[in-house]
Amino acid sequence: MTKPFSERLVLLIGIFVAVLGSLFPFFWFVMTSLKSQIHVEAIPPTWWPDGSLTFYESVLFDRHVLTSMGNSLIVASSTTVIALLIATPAAYALARLRLSGKAWMLGGLLCVAMFPQLVIAGPIWQILKRLGGLNTHWGLVLPYVTLTLPLAVWILATFFKELPLELEEAARIDGCTAWQTLSKVMLPLAAPGLFTAAILTFIYAWNEFFFALLILTDPAKHTLPVGIALFQGEFTMPWGEIAAASVIATLPLIVLVLLFQRGIISGLSAGAVKG
Amino acid sequence: MAGLALQHVTKIFGRTTVLSDVSLEASDGEFVVVLGPSGCGKSTLLRVIAGLEPQTSGSVSIGKQIVDRLTPRDRDVAMVFQHYALYPHLTVRENLAFGLKMRKESPSVIETQIAEVAELLEIQSLLNAKPQELSGGQRQRVAIGRAIVRKPRLFLFDEPLSNLDARLRASMRVELKKLHRRLNVTMVYVTHDQIEAMTLGEKIVVMDHGTIQQIGTPDHVYHEPGNPFVAGFIGNPPMNLIEGIVKPAATHVEFHAGALTLHLRAQADVYAERGILGIRPEDVCLTRPGTNHLVLDGMIDVHENLGGDHLVYLEVHRHRLVARTTAETAKNIGQSVPVYVPEEKLHLFINHNRIPLKRHE
Ligand SMILES: Nc1ncnc2c1ncn2[C@@H]1O[C@H](COP(=O)(O)OP(=O)(O)OP(=O)(O)O)[C@@H](O)[C@H]1O
Ligand SMILES: [Mg+2]
């Protein structure tokens, strides 16, 4: 079925504006990162880069960006793994058990996800100080896990709820233990939900700035967002380098999303359509 | 292979009693059908037998063994679910193999067993398909295949045909019957469809609201229903039931229901009390039968032609009676006709129990 031309035109313009609007800042950064210093500061600004890779060179070799990236990888992947290990059984229980007050628990989780960061920053800092977690990676992973758990539990619980109970009973009669039922039947079927929860958790931990700045003070332990922000000198704003580092920081996410794209799309739309 | 016995099984969820004091037995190789309306606890009964749900009290034994403490895995039963419950992420072959793999069978045994079952159910060509590529009937076959491939000692079926269309249901009924004859394993089959119960069951267990109403052969529950519920639930159209007052007299039993008064030439151990008189539609005659009978004045209200049979809705002394006849006798609507009721076909119930009518000539 083809729509009339005028309708399609409106659609196309809409899509174009949306894509342009969200991609333009990124596009500008990519352009900037490929310029040389003279062009960056040129007035009026030049559009097209000269293809110089000097910013990349200086970012990669002088500015600890690789170290920060390693730190980010450690923090983001630990957060993802730990959050999912906790969220999966929790979501399964919330989806399956006939608990009284289940609605309250799910509601409470949602509230936790909505706390403004500033409100909990103080207590978290105090707790970490007591535990000796300040300026350590695990000290950062701990609040990240707490903050990402609610969303992960919600996504997974929605998935588990949609899987028919009969399937689980069939598995148990076929000889599965409770653990095998989860690992051999429920998890493979909830895979899109797992991917979605994992990616969203990973992106959150990868991008998070505020707690990373608060908890990590040693430059050798900084994650990427903080590392990049601290490029800023006392009197200068090294736009070119910031742009190059930002591009580098975004690449892993793009790769990740492209890899799991199909799983995520079916995951994000799963709640909407039964089937 | 083994029989099954339930002793005083009760299941309570929170405040609702779903099964109440259920006792039943299936001998080795018997085909038992549990028949009851929707929501009466049939699925719960199967889930208790399978060990998916612990009973509140009572005990379940399979063979000579009490299985109350065994997990579903160790009870060695197979269940076919109402919605098939095939694993969507596995192919048909993997679905069939799943239970065998979980029980650590060797690959060669699994292979031969799958081949055997696939041939029996004629699903060889489907082995590499995923469940969502199959039609309802094909899924049902695979679900049955998954149950029999493991050679369990007891089969449980939870309304396996209710999602199929009428034709497929009829042919699957026949196949299930053949399958049972061939495998000769104890089967418990749950349904709300009385035709399935009558055609498949060697023994029928009629349930309502979590309690057993009657247990017997199909003939027994049909011809000697133990109470008005069974009488009304089995048979299509259901038995005509008339509420009234029963009064014993020296030589006969009187039955009064509004404008209707009947003198039954029989005796029964009753006092004057409320009762229900029942007669099956096929026993209500519009032509004079050879046996002892009562004659009533009727008026034809509605006439339905079912092809072979005809249903005639009659008004008899202000009561509605349905007659099932073969001949197209008197089909003029509004016409007055004599209605003949053979006395030995009447059923009398008092306080939800069947009261035998002892006839004397
Ligand atoms: N886990 C449970 N918790 C509370 N109540 C339940 C539970 N399982 C079943 N019930 C209740 O028990 C009653 C019987 O349910 P069951 O599924 O056994 O009925 P059924 O005879 O199989 O019905 P149907 O023909 O509709 O499948 C229902 O009223 C149901 O609400
Ligand atoms: Mg049921």
Side-chain angles (χ1 to χ4, degrees):
Chain A
M1 198 183 73
T2 50
K3 294 191 171 134
F5 178 73
S6 57
E7 208 172 305
R8 271 192 297 164
L9 192 71
V10 172
L11 260 175
L12 272 178
I13 293 174
I15 292 171
F16 185 71
V17 170
V19 171
L20 196 74
S22 48
L23 280 188
F24 184 74
F26 184 69
F27 170 77
W28 188 250
F29 260 81
V30 175
M31 289 304 170
T32 307
S33 72
L34 291 169
K35 291 173 185 168
S36 54
Q37 190 65 30
I38 311 166
H39 282 97
V40 171
E41 287 166 0
I43 295 176
T46 53
W47 270 96
W48 296 109
D50 45 25
S52 143
L53 291 176
T54 46
F55 289 141
Y56 284 90
E57 272 170 43
S58 83
V59 157
L60 284 177
F61 302 111
D62 310 339
R63 294 268 192 179
H64 302 299
V65 160
L66 287 180
T67 324
S68 302
M69 191 167 210
N71 292 337
S72 272
L73 265 180
I74 293 172
V75 170
S77 26
S78 324
T79 304
T80 309
V81 170
I82 296 172
L84 283 193
L85 279 181
I86 301 172
T88 305
Y92 187 56
L94 279 173
R96 278 295 186 251
L97 300 183
R98 288 170 187 256
L99 301 170
S100 50
K102 197 158 75 175
W104 285 101
M105 273 187 239
L106 281 168
L109 273 177
L110 211 58
C111 287
V112 171
M114 288 173 185
F115 283 151
Q117 291 189 327
L118 268 176
V119 174
I120 52 174
I124 284 183
W125 194 83
Q126 301 260 340
I127 293 170
L128 286 179
K129 191 175 172 181
R130 287 271 175 85
L131 295 175
L134 287 180
N135 211 16
T136 63
H137 283 151
W138 68 260
L140 190 57
V141 168
L142 205 62
Y144 281 4
V145 168
T146 337
L147 291 169
T148 50
L149 260 182
L151 184 66
V153 170
W154 262 84
I155 293 176
L156 289 172
T158 315
F159 258 84
F160 285 134
K161 250 185 242 164
E162 278 183 12
L163 300 178
L165 189 63
E166 277 190 354
L167 273 181
E168 249 170 276
E169 303 191 325
R172 285 172 63 199
I173 289 181
D174 265 344
C176 290
T177 59
W179 173 244
Q180 285 171 322
T181 307
L182 185 62
S183 66
K184 289 198 190 289
V185 177
M186 301 313 273
L187 284 187
L189 293 175
L194 279 176
F195 283 137
T196 311
I199 293 273
L200 291 180
T201 308
F202 191 89
I203 290 178
Y204 171 86
W206 187 264
N207 287 339
E208 207 285 332
F209 176 72
F210 180 69
F211 284 107
L213 186 66
L214 186 75
I215 292 167
L216 303 174
T217 41
D218 177 1
K221 294 195 171 153
H222 279 158
T223 54
L224 268 176
V226 179
I228 294 173
L230 295 185
F231 282 1
Q232 186 179 350
E234 209 169 335
F235 304 107
T236 56
M237 184 57 107
W239 281 121
E241 268 114 346
I242 291 180
S246 303
V247 171
I248 294 174
T250 316
L251 283 179
L253 291 188
I254 294 180
V255 171
L256 216 59
V257 171
L258 286 183
L259 269 181
F260 294 119
Q261 194 182 27
R262 289 183 59 189
I264 297 170
I265 289 172
S266 62
L268 288 176
S269 59
V273 193
K274 272 265 178 193
Chain B
M1 268 177 241
L4 167 76
L6 272 72
Q7 272 159 359
H8 308 291
V9 169
T10 293
K11 175 73 196 176
I12 300 173
F13 285 114
R15 280 195 210 91
T16 42
T17 305
V18 178
L19 297 175
S20 135
D21 196 24
V22 170
S23 298
L24 69 91
E25 269 178 38
S27 52
D28 198 356
E30 195 169 26
F31 199 127
V32 176
V33 176
V34 178
L35 174 67
S38 185
C40 74
K42 304 180 300 283
S43 298
T44 308
L45 181 73
L46 288 192
R47 295 174 60 238
V48 165
I49 296 174
L52 294 168
E53 195 83 68
Q55 66 269 33
T56 311
S57 64
S59 93
V60 179
S61 37
I62 299 175
K64 299 251 177 308
Q65 183 191 17
I66 293 181
V67 295
D68 295 337
R69 289 174 179 281
L70 298 186
T71 60
R73 175 194 170 95
D74 294 328
R75 292 193 186 193
D76 194 19
V77 302
M79 186 150 161
V80 178
F81 293 87
Q82 187 168 353
H83 304 286
Y84 318 128
L86 298 173
Y87 308 120
H89 59 303
L90 302 179
T91 63
V92 169
R93 184 192 303 279
E94 290 163 336
N95 264 282
L96 295 176
F98 191 82
L100 295 168
K101 272 193 194 143
M102 294 313 299
R103 288 182 157 73
K104 307 254 173 351
E105 291 286 355
S106 73
S108 62
V109 171
I110 294 179
E111 202 49 48
T112 50
Q113 245 150 280
I114 288 179
E116 207 175 287
V117 166
E119 194 193 324
L120 181 67
L121 295 173
E122 292 169 19
I123 48 174
Q124 297 105 317
S125 58
L126 308 176
L127 284 178
N128 294 320
K130 287 270 178 73
Q132 61 263 36
E133 298 161 26
L134 307 181
S135 70
Q138 290 171 329
R139 285 182 206 187
Q140 194 54 67
R141 277 164 195 279
V142 176
I144 293 172
R146 186 176 63 179
I148 63 181
V149 75
R150 250 174 45 213
K151 305 201 161 96
R153 51 182 178 166
L154 176 65
F155 278 104
L156 306 172
F157 291 92
D158 192 354
E159 310 202 28
L161 307 185
S162 61
N163 283 332
L164 304 180
D165 64 49
R167 263 177 82 166
L168 207 50
R169 214 179 301 160
S171 70
M172 284 302 285
R173 257 196 336 249
V174 177
E175 292 200 30
L176 275 174
K177 201 156 188 164
K178 278 197 220 157
L179 195 68
H180 174 248
R181 208 175 301 144
R182 192 164 161 169
L183 300 173
N184 202 24
V185 185
T186 317
M187 294 186 174
V188 179
Y189 184 106
V190 150
T191 181
H192 64 256
D193 182 325
Q194 44 119 5
I195 298 180
E196 276 172 34
M198 294 297 288
T199 51
L200 286 171
E202 293 171 314
K203 180 191 273 179
I204 295 184
V205 178
V206 186
M207 269 181 66
D208 186 36
H209 285 103
T211 48
I212 290 184
Q213 303 292 319
Q214 190 174 6
I215 300 181
T217 61
D219 272 339
H220 183 102
V221 293
Y222 189 82
H223 294 294
E224 287 172 44
N227 60 40
F229 174 82
V230 178
F233 194 72
I234 295 179
N236 184 27
M239 186 186 280
N240 297 294
L241 296 172
I242 300 172
E243 285 184 49
I245 306 283
V246 185
K247 273 191 197 148
T251 56
H252 62 272
V253 176
E254 281 179 26
F255 183 80
H256 301 280
L260 178 72
T261 300
L262 296 177
H263 292 259
L264 312 177
R265 276 161 288 183
Q267 273 181 321
D269 301 327
V270 291
Y271 302 104
E273 51 195 324
R274 302 190 66 78
I276 296 176
L277 198 67
I279 178 125
R280 293 220 174 265
E282 60 266 36
D283 295 329
V284 179
C285 309
L286 298 180
T287 51
R288 185 182 292 272
T291 50
N292 264 340
H293 56 265
L294 304 171
V295 189
L296 309 170
D297 301 326
M299 201 254 292
I300 295 182
D301 208 7
V302 178
H303 179 265
E304 285 179 348
N305 185 348
L306 302 182
D309 285 347
H310 296 257
L311 293 184
V312 182
Y313 293 77
L314 301 153
E315 202 184 295
V316 177
H317 299 278
R318 303 253 175 79
H319 295 277
R320 157 65 56 86
L321 275 190
V322 183
R324 188 182 196 118
T325 60
T326 41
E328 288 185 58
T329 38
K331 62 176 184 178
N332 292 339
I333 289 170
Q335 188 181 340
S336 292
V337 289
V339 176
Y340 306 94
V341 177
E343 285 195 48
E344 83 269 13
K345 304 285 187 174
L346 285 167
H347 306 265
L348 180 63
F349 306 98
I350 290 174
N351 284 333
H352 294 282
N353 285 315
R354 178 188 186 79
I355 303 294
L357 288 168
K358 285 169 280 189
R359 274 175 299 120
H360 44 78
E361 301 308 315

